[in-house]
């Protein structure tokens, strides 16, 4: 938690094994009604994620499309200042411009971030070699730990062989492996898990991945703040019980989350569409608003969920019993 010592590329892998542990999440940056950056909302969201027990917080994936480089830096500053030494800061710094990626990464380092997360923009994902070369080039310009993000949003996903090559880059200390198949991450663990931290970033298999395969971190999931609250952190609770050897108790709490997990999975189905992957940012923001966070409107030209979609989603959430699960004191 909150280790602010500057770590360079030579120490990155050792640092990752020691410190990349627990739950990490990057809440969406909110906008005001006139689509300015909601600075107070950024602070509110980070306070909530920290209160939910996150080991690390970040920013830069969900809203990079809607912000200028200056606004991304401003948001990073707010996140770092708000977090203080209560949790690690790990920022998503990729941009379609390599120069801007390096600039954002150096800014993250300058404000004390422990690491950055890099995914490969789709223009650079036209071959496995280019995916490797993009991360290697940025790593050579930024002397800090890097988590590589393997995601369908790049337009092409990394093979295990490419991941193994990237794992050899000195800065690279981990992978957020967003291939919706736990066996893909398990195979990577078998191949080069001794070198870097590997994370299957989906809560639905977190208990099994932790207990059976030694996964030490959930590197980025909205479930950390959508399926927990400052009053109750069921994900942290079931992991703690599992670590204590109480698998019956851990499974019971994990199963209690099934209704909320189904709601989460239902809105994320669009992300697993091989033909047209889309992130459900609109409903994520609306869910944040329901929970008392700052979701706010979608940045243009992205479309807001209409009232019918909001009503249907709210009904699903209410049927799942979100309030009783996460805010039991209200009852």
């Amino acid at each position: 938690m909150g280790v602010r010592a500057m770590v360079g590329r030579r120490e990155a892998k050792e640092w990752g094994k020691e410190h990349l542990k627990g739950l990490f999440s990057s809440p969406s940056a909110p906008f005001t009604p006139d689509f300015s950056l909601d600075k107070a909302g950024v602070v509110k969201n980070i306070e909530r994620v920290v209160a939910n027990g996150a080991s690390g917080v970040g920013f830069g994936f969900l809203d990079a499309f809607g912000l200028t480089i200056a606004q991304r830096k401003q948001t990073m500053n707010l996140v770092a200042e708000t977090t203080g030494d209560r949790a690690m800061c790990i920022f998503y710094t990729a941009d379609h411009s390599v120069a801007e990626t390096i600039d954002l990464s150096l800014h993250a380092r300058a404000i004390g971030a422990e690491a950055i997360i890099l995914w490969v923009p789709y223009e650079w994902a036209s071959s496995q070699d280019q995916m490797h070369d993009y991360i290697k080039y940025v790593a050579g310009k930024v002397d800090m730990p890097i988590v590589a993000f393997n995601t369908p949003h790049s337009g092409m996903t990394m093979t295990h062989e490419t991941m193994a090559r990237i794992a050899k880059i000195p800065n690279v200390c981990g992978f957020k492996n967003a291939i919706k198949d736990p066996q893909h991450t398990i195979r990577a663990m078998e191949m080069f898990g001794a070198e870097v931290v590997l994370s299957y970033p989906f809560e639905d298999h977190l208990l099994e991945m932790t207990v059976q395969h030694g996964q030490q971190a959930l590197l980025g999931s909205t479930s950390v703040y959508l399926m927990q609250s400052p009053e109750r952190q069921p994900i942290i609770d079931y992991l703690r019980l599992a670590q204590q050897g109480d698998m019956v108790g851990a499974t019971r709490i994990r199963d209690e989350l099934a209704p909320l997990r189904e709601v989460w999975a239902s809105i994320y189905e669009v992300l697993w569409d091989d033909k047209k992957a889309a992130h459900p940012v609109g409903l994520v923001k609306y869910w944040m608003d329901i929970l008392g966070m700052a979701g706010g409107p979608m940045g243009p030209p992205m479309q807001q969920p209409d009232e019918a979609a909001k009503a249907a989603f709210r009904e699903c959430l209410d049927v799942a019993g979100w309030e009783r699960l996460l805010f039991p004191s209200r009852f």
Side-chain angles (χ1 to χ4, degrees), residues 145-162:
I146 294 172
V147 173
F149 186 8
N150 190 17
T151 171
H153 282 272
S154 292
M156 175 183 289
T157 55
M158 302 169 188
T159 64
H160 285 116
E161 291 72 23
T162 297

Side-chain angles (χ1 to χ4, degrees), residues 67-318:
L67 298 174
T68 65
I69 296 296
Q71 287 175 319
R72 288 178 71 177
K73 289 181 178 179
Q74 186 177 28
T75 305
M76 290 160 66
N77 293 345
L78 287 169
V79 172
E81 291 166 5
T82 304
T83 302
D85 63 357
R86 295 178 295 168
M88 286 183 273
C89 284
I90 300 182
F91 294 115
Y92 294 80
T93 57
D95 188 81
H96 284 288
S97 162
V98 182
E100 297 287 20
T101 298
I102 293 168
D103 183 46
L104 286 165
S105 301
L106 291 175
H107 182 78
R109 187 179 192 278
I111 63 175
E114 281 81 5
I116 58 172
I117 299 179
L118 289 182
W119 75 96
V120 181
Y122 61 78
E123 186 67 22
W124 283 83
S126 58
S127 73
Q128 295 294 319
D129 283 343
Q130 284 190 330
M131 298 176 86
H132 166 270
D133 293 349
Y134 177 89
I135 293 177
K136 183 178 181 180
Y137 181 77
V138 176
K141 302 293 185 180
V142 183
D143 190 16
M144 67 186 301
I146 294 172
V147 173
F149 186 8
N150 190 17
T151 171
H153 282 272
S154 292
M156 175 183 289
T157 55
M158 302 169 188
T159 64
H160 285 116
E161 291 72 23
T162 297
M163 292 175 71
R165 289 178 67 199
I166 292 172
K168 296 292 185 184
I169 299 170
N171 307 46
V172 174
C173 63
F175 272 91
K176 177 180 176 180
N177 193 36
I179 308 300
K180 197 68 171 71
D181 175 9
Q183 292 302 318
H184 192 278
T185 298
I186 292 168
R187 176 59 179 150
M189 288 175 167
E190 294 169 347
M191 291 177 65
F192 50 89
E195 300 177 53
V196 296
V197 174
L198 280 148
S199 176
Y200 181 70
F202 304 101
E203 183 275 335
D204 57 347
H205 284 82
L206 181 59
L207 185 59
E208 292 84 354
M209 292 297 291
T210 300
V211 173
Q212 298 175 21
H213 303 286
Q215 178 168 311
Q216 65 184 56
L218 183 71
L219 289 176
S221 173
T222 58
S223 61
V224 175
Y225 57 86
L226 297 178
M227 293 168 55
Q228 298 195 122
S229 76
E231 187 173 326
R232 186 163 185 248
Q233 298 92 46
I235 301 173
I236 291 176
D237 288 344
Y238 73 62
L239 288 176
R240 185 183 67 251
L241 289 175
Q243 290 164 356
Q244 294 171 351
D246 183 2
M247 285 303 298
V248 173
T251 302
R252 175 180 56 79
I253 294 176
R254 194 269 307 272
D255 290 349
E256 283 180 11
L257 274 177
L260 273 187
R261 187 177 297 116
E262 289 177 9
V263 175
W264 189 94
S266 70
I267 68 171
Y268 272 90
E269 285 181 357
V270 295
L271 191 60
W272 322 133
D273 188 334
D274 292 336
K275 296 181 180 178
K276 190 180 180 182
H279 203 292
V281 184
L283 288 178
V284 169
K285 284 177 172 284
Y286 181 52
W287 194 341
M288 292 170 69
D289 287 331
I290 292 170
L291 291 173
M293 300 176 71
M298 298 275 282
M302 300 177 77
Q303 298 297 310
Q304 315 291 338
D306 60 29
E307 293 306 313
K310 287 183 177 180
F313 174 74
R314 180 61 188 261
E315 182 178 1
C316 290
L317 202 56
D318 289 343

Side-chain angles (χ1 to χ4, degrees), residues 29-48:
F31 297 104
T32 62
D34 66 354
F35 304 112
S36 300
L37 179 64
D38 181 357
K39 300 174 188 176
V42 172
V43 172
K44 183 177 186 178
N45 290 342
I46 295 303
E47 288 288 0
R48 170 62 69 90

